[in-house]
Amino acid sequence: MLTRTRRLRVKMMIQCLLVLMVLLAGLSARVDARGQEDAGAIFLSSHGVLRLNLNSGEQERIDLHAQPLPYRHEALSEGGHLLSFVDHELVPGFVVVDSTLAPRIVVRGAAASAFGDGFLLGVGTTETPEGVCGRNQVTLWSLADYRRVFRLDRTILLTPLSLDYRASAEVQGENEGLLLLRYMPSLEPDPNYPWQRELTFLMLSPATGTFVWKQKLDPGFPLAGIDLLWQDGDFLLLAGRVDINHYYYACLDASSGTLRWQKRSRQFPVMRPDYPYLTYASVFAASRDGDELRLGTIDPERPYLAAARLNLRTGEIQIHVDSSDIKAMELAYLSLYPEPRAQCTSIHTLAGVGILTIVPCEQISLAGPDFQWEIPYLPCFGSSLEAAVWGRKYLVLVERPERRLALGYQGKAYLLEMESGKLAHMPMSGLVFFEPWSPAPGRQVLLTVEELAELSPSGVRRWSLRLQES
């Protein structure tokens, strides 16, 4: 067992080695963009922005015309950029800017994503009042000239819920089209059946932005809802609840939209919660074997859980009450989700500063030519801690969620004094750390519901925004 003196000696040797590693790394590596050349951190407040110089500690307050919004950035084709946000009334929206940062599309009340190589698809929906259809619309823009190609009201985007539990992948490929559902509201308010019986389905091509086919479908009875359970290059399997004892299935040809068959059945498909969206999103665990689709079903009368085989060409369902099949399907589905990662020691090379070592639940240490310190991990810090940005005076550590959940990925931040590792005593109350999109070194883009602003060493450049519906 090492004596205290020998432990201290070993510890000093390790620190010296870390310092040497930093010095050697600095001989060949360029200065990190987040490092000391342009070390700044952005904090959002209810009426502006605070930009903190992490080298000098100098603070710069920037007034905006409205409350700044956190957003998510995504690069688009044709030099465009998509900035998606959820405003302070929990309403989604987005702004598309061109290569010069000039706003070209500005929408509140819808979410957008790239569609194919040259289009942007916007989807807007509202909560459904009792007995009345919600407002639903789908809009398509061309990214070549930011022109609106079409807007369809009373339209829902049906993305496939299928997850192939044997292939460990989503079924729909990148080149397959998107299925849209158009409906007419029911003539009389009905809380269970908000639309008329006849429904219209349209297949949208990601290559051309045009509709490949259009198909009207009348089940012969009202449906409480409709889902796209399965989509591949051959078949589209639609399904929806009829009543408490019956379910509806319909199969369309993927290339032409031709109705192959439709039927009412007592077999309900087994839907699985989609982690981590447990309370409001589901997936349909199934697997195709030739013309048959293997799935789990529930009979509402007995009830019992069964493994079933659905013939996609004829609609025939064969039930196999075999507990081993059900168990195998359940285990295969659960295997799609990885086990929670155990926290482990992480080492960060802070360019121009030193080596930061984070030992979860134990300690955080910094070893460099100018700074050497250790601080306890608990009780201040939580899980998944990492270095976000740093300078000669301050270091920003951020807790990241284990899974990146789009707009919720910003995380909780801590401002530390680089010299000692202590939490900085600054007037940070009410401020939220934000890492904005940086189109070039030294430039950051900020967003409100009224303007888009670019921060740069030369000042602030602003563009007025006029939010519109899609």
Side-chain angles (χ1 to χ4, degrees), residues 448-467:
T448 76
V449 295
E450 297 182 8
E451 68 175 334
L452 183 142
E454 181 196 29
L455 308 184
S456 68
S458 60
V460 182
R461 191 165 56 142
R462 303 172 187 265
W463 293 264
S464 296
L465 299 180
R466 183 178 178 183
L467 290 171

Side-chain angles (χ1 to χ4, degrees), residues 66-280:
Q67 187 170 354
L69 296 169
Y71 62 83
R72 180 187 63 193
H73 166 261
E74 179 184 352
L76 302 173
S77 62
E78 309 292 340
H81 297 271
L82 172 64
L83 308 181
S84 303
F85 65 86
V86 175
D87 67 17
H88 304 292
E89 296 179 357
L90 300 182
V91 176
F94 61 92
V95 177
V96 176
V97 300
D98 60 22
S99 58
T100 68
L101 298 186
R104 304 302 297 268
I105 305 172
V106 184
V107 172
R108 182 178 186 265
S113 61
F115 181 62
D117 293 329
F119 302 97
L120 184 75
L121 191 71
V123 178
T125 185
T126 60
E127 291 188 13
T128 305
E130 186 173 350
V132 180
C133 284
R135 185 179 63 181
N136 301 282
Q137 60 186 220
V138 175
T139 309
L140 189 73
W141 290 271
S142 168
L143 292 177
D145 53 8
Y146 303 101
R147 171 182 55 89
R148 189 171 73 181
V149 179
F150 66 76
R151 167 179 159 173
L152 297 178
D153 294 323
R154 305 186 314 279
T155 302
I156 299 173
L157 175 64
L158 294 180
T159 55
L161 304 181
S162 50
L163 191 65
D164 191 328
Y165 64 84
R166 293 194 304 174
S168 300
E170 293 182 1
V171 175
Q172 185 185 27
E174 294 182 356
N175 297 324
E176 294 176 5
L178 287 179
L179 187 65
L180 307 183
L181 163 65
R182 299 205 73 188
Y183 62 87
M184 291 297 294
S186 57
L187 299 178
E188 298 181 0
D190 190 323
N192 295 315
Y193 303 99
W195 48 47
Q196 297 182 27
R197 294 182 180 182
E198 186 177 75
L199 304 172
T200 302
F201 296 91
L202 305 102
M203 179 59 68
L204 182 62
S205 167
T208 63
T210 58
F211 294 110
V212 179
W213 50 258
K214 175 181 178 182
Q215 176 68 46
K216 292 185 179 294
L217 190 63
D218 187 352
F221 39 78
L223 293 175
I226 191 77
D227 290 314
L228 177 57
L229 291 187
W230 183 272
Q231 178 180 4
D232 58 27
D234 301 315
F235 303 103
L236 301 173
L237 180 62
L238 299 164
R241 184 184 292 273
V242 179
D243 51 40
I244 194 172
N245 292 318
H246 296 91
Y247 219 75
Y248 168 78
Y249 295 92
C251 187
L252 304 181
D253 183 273
S255 59
S256 65
T258 302
L259 176 64
R260 289 181 172 271
W261 53 265
Q262 60 178 340
K263 64 185 299 182
R264 185 165 67 171
S265 171
R266 300 185 68 85
Q267 301 298 322
F268 285 59
V270 174
M271 308 299 291
R272 309 285 185 178
D274 187 14
Y275 176 83
Y277 315 100
L278 298 179
T279 59
Y280 55 89

